[in-house]
Amino acid sequence: MISFLDLKSINNRYQKELKEACSRVIDSGWYIMGEELNLFEKEFSEYCGVRHSVGVANGLDALILTLRAWRELGKIRTGDEVIVPANTYIASILAITENGLKPVLIEPDAGTYNLNKENIIKAVTNKTRVILPVHLYGQICPMDEIVNAAKDAGLLVLEDSAQAHGASLNGIKAGAWGDASGFSFYPGKNLGALGDAGAITTNDDELIEVVRALSNYGSKEKYKNIYKGVNSRLDEIQAAMLRVKLKYLNEDIERRQEIAAFYSSEISNEYISTPKVNFKENHVWHLYVIKTAQREALQQYLSSAGISCLIHYPIPPHKQIAYKELGDIRLPITEGLHEQVLSIPIDPTMSDETVQQVVDVLNRFNP
Ligand SMILES: *Cc1c(COP(=O)(O)O)cnc(C)c1O
């Protein structure tokens, strides 16, 4: 059986260091908002090339709290429009509606699965305040163009970098392009904690202060509450786990890129198309997503060959029961993608033999 992502073997590689880090926290007697978090925030900021990061409880909160902070700062108001790709994971949309803002779903590019400047510009109205690009599957969006379009139209940019730690464009990493960015450290993400965790990155000194307060009951100083905040913090144990794993993130990215390059050059089947990438450094391959018009047959075939696959995502947000009000929008590219995409195993601990085996099986597919 070839698993989709073997979290146990991923974390086993650092077992000794993870256990030491865990013991260090237990022995410290300090479990929330301490030295591990301070150091992780510093190290993650350095990694991303930004001035600040704030650890929060998960990636969804990172997005929610950034938009909330812009509301508190008077930069956006209830009912304002946020441009977001229609084929994203539901979390990007939830962060928008949770803040009383209106998601404007736009079509992605069918080759890269990411949004492009042309579609953004077409969607801008006088109510648009934010562009929320999602670096889907680990590939950074064309941020140079997007940031310029946002500047021209006076819009804020919030990157959803939950799948793209370390992806870069023109030497600038995901998380450092927008006015702010949300990251997830969900265990299955490329930089994964051993539980839930997330972070916000930004170069904006004012924003970071507000986000930090909002995540801690709306308080900068204990028992003095400036905002009606929430409790969304990254705890010391998870910060300590992430500090261990951050050191090895680049190695993992390189291995993912190696596997993806092999897939892209070796998968050769008229029924399957492989993803489009501009430059190697643009993509950190959180997921390797192929397209096929014969998806059901391919899934069955792979499953009988012992290869696990997943669909990211089977139902687009505007077709979810939770978003009945968006159900009438027609998004043919997005809907087509949701019928055709299939994610095949990509995991930094996969052996060359396993990768070859996946390729051989895919190349023999003949529905
Ligand atoms: C995982 C993910 C999130 C949410 O992160 P959580 O830590 O699970 O809350 C947001 N956006 C995208 C694109 C994601 O993949």
Side-chain angles (χ1 to χ4, degrees), residues 58-60 63 88-89 91-92 134 160 162-163 184 186 189 197 313:
N58 54 65
L60 174 59
L63 299 171
T88 185
Y89 179 55
S92 324
V134 181
D160 182 339
Q163 304 188 355
S184 166
Y186 175 78
K189 297 285 157 80
Y313 298 90

Side-chain angles (χ1 to χ4, degrees), residues 287-335:
L287 298 168
Y288 191 94
V289 179
I290 58 173
K291 271 188 299 189
T292 172
Q294 272 78 31
R295 186 171 65 187
E296 225 180 279
L298 181 57
Q299 263 183 300
Q300 263 168 25
Y301 166 79
L302 289 171
S303 141
S304 62
I307 298 174
S308 314
C309 288
L310 294 171
I311 297 172
H312 298 92
Y313 298 90
I315 306 172
H318 70 288
K319 295 291 178 196
Q320 297 285 357
I321 294 169
Y323 284 112
K324 288 191 278 297
E325 68 274 24
L326 302 174
D328 293 334
I329 311 172
R330 283 200 58 246
L331 293 159
I333 296 176
T334 298
E335 287 158 27

Side-chain angles (χ1 to χ4, degrees), residues 166-186:
S168 72
L169 174 68
N170 304 340
I172 299 172
K173 286 208 173 90
W177 281 92
D179 296 284
S181 172
F183 282 90
S184 166
F185 309 118
Y186 175 78

Side-chain angles (χ1 to χ4, degrees), residues 156-231:
L156 293 161
V157 176
L158 170 56
E159 301 172 73
D160 182 339
S161 305
Q163 304 188 355
H165 325 72
S168 72
L169 174 68
N170 304 340
I172 299 172
K173 286 208 173 90
W177 281 92
D179 296 284
S181 172
F183 282 90
S184 166
F185 309 118
Y186 175 78
K189 297 285 157 80
N190 286 17
L191 176 60
L194 275 64
D196 272 318
I200 294 146
T201 58
T202 183
N203 289 313
D204 183 338
D205 302 349
E206 190 185 29
L207 175 71
I208 212 70
E209 286 270 302
V210 180
V211 163
R212 202 179 277 290
L214 282 171
S215 71
N216 189 29
Y217 293 104
S219 155
K220 285 183 192 173
E221 220 181 303
K222 210 169 183 181
Y223 304 130
K224 286 193 181 167
N225 302 83
I226 316 167
Y227 311 105
K228 299 181 187 80
V230 297
N231 176 359

